[in-house]
Amino acid sequence: TDLSHIRNFAIIAHIDHGKSTLADRLIETCGGLEKREMRGQVLDSMDIERERGITIKAQTVRLAYKAKDGKDYQFNLMDTPGHVDFAYEVSRSLAACEGSLLVVDATQGVEAQTLANVYQAIDANHEIVPVINKIDLPAADPDRVKQQVEDVIGIDTSDAVNVSGKTGLGIPDLLEAIVTRLPPPKGDATAPTKALLVDSWYDAYLGVVILVRVVDGTLKAGQKVRFMQTGATRDIDRVGMFTPKRVIIDQLNPGEMGFITAGIKDISDTKVGDTITDERRLAAEPLPGFKPSIPVVFCSLFPVDAAQFEHLRDSLGRLALNDSSFHFEAESSAALGFGFRCGFLGLLHMEIIQERLEREFDLDLIATAPSVVYKIHKTDGTIQELYNPADFPDVMKIDHIQEPWIKATIFTPDEYLGPILALCQERRGSQIEMTYAGARAMLVYKLPLNEVVFDFYDRLKSISRGYASFDYTIDSYEEGDLVKLSILVNNDPVDALSMVVHRSQAERRGRHLCERLKELIPKQLFKIAIQAAIGGKVIARETVSAMRKDVTAKCYGGDISRKRKLLDKQKEGKKRMRQFGEVEIPQSAFIAALRMG
Ligand code: GDP
Ligand code: MG
């Protein structure tokens, strides 16, 4: 296809404003799938995405559209994740496109990620078409929402397109707007090949699949290509595209998006953001690529069954290939044995990786409390970056500690403002800005990330009944009065439960953890003491009293099958036990305790 007939665009929006549904309608209208093949959110291919109703990986689809001008156009559409933790996926999708459809829910208006995403699109020099979605709903107020988009974001909405991704209303106008208002890509078919490595993942049938956006030259099967950053060279064995079905094609031309496979097995050969060029005719310079993602939340993952360690390593490798924002390295813990310290972009990212490991790779895992990266300035003048509370140095050697702070943007209906301000205050936040747009307030706060990784997001959602939205960027490192909080079970420190906290929060956290553990640890044959301590000083204490262990006692010998079930259950429980000194703690107690922070 001639460049002027190509449109590459991303769909960006706050979560739940209808990106995936809109993508479905565009695919259906352009005939990418037959009616009988359509199912809701076809691009959300992972099970977890379907169940949670969110898009994690950015997805790309090529569509054919015959416009009113009588010409045939090629659309390359990228659906993007809306959640704050996946901003990186958004940024690389944007680097592969020239324009964005900014979807805003006509019943909700601008939210925190609407703003975050649109700023990224503006940074990527995108042409932006505002799309007001869900106009089929009685509560839709497109005019108010357009006004709000103008007021808060400052982009013109006079030719915004009103649509319903659900009913298909307005979709023909949107397709025309894509043709007439988004720019075509630029590129030179005769120049040396230059293609951006947008994403890569492992496919059981094809092996490692690489998603590319060709800038100059072409990519075809048999061509020897070089990955400019890693220096690896490979022969392309297949070139294809997603419609969203996988289709093998002859070649990819300038401005086009598609995939290649090249017999790649090694993760390190595919670096997202790398430039692919022709080995026989090298490009002079690589493409600018994009900023690597930096993990900000860390936790350790241990297999419940030590024999699964190698399987865990392989599985983490597979996931890292599919998700370049995820990092891991081997570590060992006195209590939990061999495992991996893992870095994530945020809490949801962490939860999803854990869930995928358990589901797709059939692993049983123990995860430690999430932690951020601290900078420990020592008395000898060196700086230690602390990724794991277990490596916390001797306090005598510490001069001061710095922690990461974020700049958070919160949108909320006015009525929840009071409790949200109180929450930010309780989490050591300082207010930078508070403005009103309609009946909604926008708050800008500086907060220590450490206070946010625990349960800030959950609390925010519950006190605002789900109406507040939240987004953040890392802002600075600042000195704080931080201490290591240890949890002791019968005087044995449980390294997996230790954490770094602000001194002012230590008692609250410690007491909370001890109380929770008391509820979670089943009574055993002897008393169990649970303590929280800073250094040698105990700041909270609980006791689990002793009980008899025979769980079948209350069955009165009558119902055999019930008795068998109980015994089986107990056996199942045994597998998931961890030994602490004299005490066995069920894994579920850790997970539950670690969940609440
Ligand atoms: P995403 O998170 O932006 O990808 O949003 P989804 O496409 O997953 O949609 C979120 C929810 O809104 C789903 O329950 C959709 O069925 C619903 N939805 C999406 N578009 C429309 C629409 O135009 N009208 C109505 N009534 N519901 C919609
Ligand atoms: Mg989605």
Side-chain angles (χ1 to χ4, degrees), residues 19-20 41 44 53-55 79-80:
K19 291 176 297 291
S20 302
Q41 289 100 8
D44 292 347
I54 57 170
T55 307
D79 182 19
T80 59

Side-chain angles (χ1 to χ4, degrees), residues 202-209 237-238 242 246 248 259 261-263:
Y202 184 81
D203 178 285
Y205 173 68
L206 295 171
V208 174
V209 176
D237 44 44
R238 288 189 203 82
F242 299 101
R246 184 174 49 220
I248 302 297
F259 72 85
T261 63

Side-chain angles (χ1 to χ4, degrees), residues 289-334:
F290 26 84
K291 265 190 261 156
S293 60
I294 300 165
V296 292
V297 177
F298 284 77
C299 85
S300 301
L301 297 177
F302 296 91
V304 171
D305 176 358
Q308 281 199 318
F309 178 75
E310 286 304 328
H311 178 41
L312 176 58
R313 183 201 296 280
D314 287 349
S315 309
L316 291 169
R318 285 274 175 85
L319 286 185
L321 173 59
N322 194 244
D323 177 353
S324 57
S325 52
F326 165 59
H327 297 235
F328 67 98
E329 65 182 55
E331 75 159 337
S332 68
S333 143

Side-chain angles (χ1 to χ4, degrees), residues 15-21 41 133-134 136-137 164-166:
I15 191 156
D16 279 349
H17 281 201
K19 291 176 297 291
S20 302
T21 307
Q41 289 100 8
N133 190 29
K134 307 198 188 181
D136 60 290
L137 291 173
S164 163
K166 189 168 179 185

